[in-house]
Amino acid sequence: PCCQAGLRVIVCGHSYVFWATKYAWHSAWIQKLSLGKHSLLDWKGLQGLAWDGFSDLVSQSACEASIDVLLVHLGGNDLARVPDKALILIADLKRFKRQFQDTQVIWPIIIPHLRWHSAKNSNWMEHACKCVNREVDQVMINGLGSVVNHPEISP
């Protein structure tokens, strides 16, 4: 690991990560993460980031130094535009895990929205979100990584 035997944790994702980064740096919250002084928490949050930007974002980060933990908070922004979203997510996560076998991958479920951008039918989107979460969840818990549920967050 980088950082003089500490951990390198990358949190990548869309606007949730972008705004969490801003909040963390402008509050005392960053001090409470307790990663240790030799660890590095690297925020990679881009507003509007879609799944097709994942590979480039993570590859660029992996070139800088090894990644010990990767938290991937993506998928919701392009759920309405991409058919078979779960299959694409799973294939990309498996490809990443093969390339970076020592990296712990964490998948926070896609959080339901009050209003889905680019969606004509909100009920269909809620159903699609649940299906994608269920399929990715099964693959993750069967050896690909870990899953974070957000029962306290609702639309």
Side-chain angles (χ1 to χ4, degrees):
C2 73
C3 312
Q4 300 175 353
L7 290 175
R8 182 169 186 226
V9 178
I10 294 186
V11 179
C12 78
H14 47 59
S15 58
Y16 289 166
V17 176
F18 174 85
W19 290 111
T21 304
K22 290 210 174 284
Y23 177 76
W25 286 111
H26 292 97
S27 70
W29 185 72
I30 196 74
Q31 311 298 321
K32 297 177 184 176
L33 291 176
S34 302
L35 293 175
K37 65 180 180 180
H38 295 297
S39 296
L40 175 67
L41 177 59
D42 197 359
W43 301 85
K44 303 283 186 182
L46 299 171
Q47 290 181 300
L49 183 65
W51 188 258
D52 59 4
F54 167 74
S55 292
D56 290 340
L57 186 67
V58 174
S59 295
Q60 179 185 32
S61 298
C63 288
E64 297 165 6
S66 64
I67 302 170
D68 299 297
V69 178
L70 175 67
L71 188 139
V72 183
H73 209 309
L74 281 171
N77 280 346
D78 50 347
L79 194 59
R81 296 185 301 250
V82 181
D84 298 324
K85 187 68 184 167
L87 298 175
I88 293 168
L89 295 173
I90 291 167
D92 285 350
L93 289 169
K94 283 182 175 180
R95 187 172 26 260
F96 174 82
K97 188 63 176 176
R98 278 192 307 272
Q99 187 175 359
F100 303 101
Q101 296 174 9
D102 295 331
T103 300
Q104 172 65 36
V105 180
I106 301 172
W107 169 263
I109 64 165
I110 298 171
I111 297 172
H113 293 55
L114 282 174
R115 188 173 67 84
W116 292 92
H117 300 290
S118 307
K120 294 176 183 163
N121 184 329
S122 292
N123 290 333
W124 182 89
M125 287 300 298
E126 289 302 316
H127 175 74
C129 182
K130 288 177 185 176
C131 289
V132 168
N133 281 335
R134 185 174 44 251
E135 289 180 47
V136 175
D137 182 78
Q138 285 301 307
V139 172
M140 294 299 288
I141 63 175
N142 285 319
L144 194 57
S146 303
V147 175
V148 176
N149 290 297
H150 302 286
E152 69 283 352
I153 300 175
S154 61

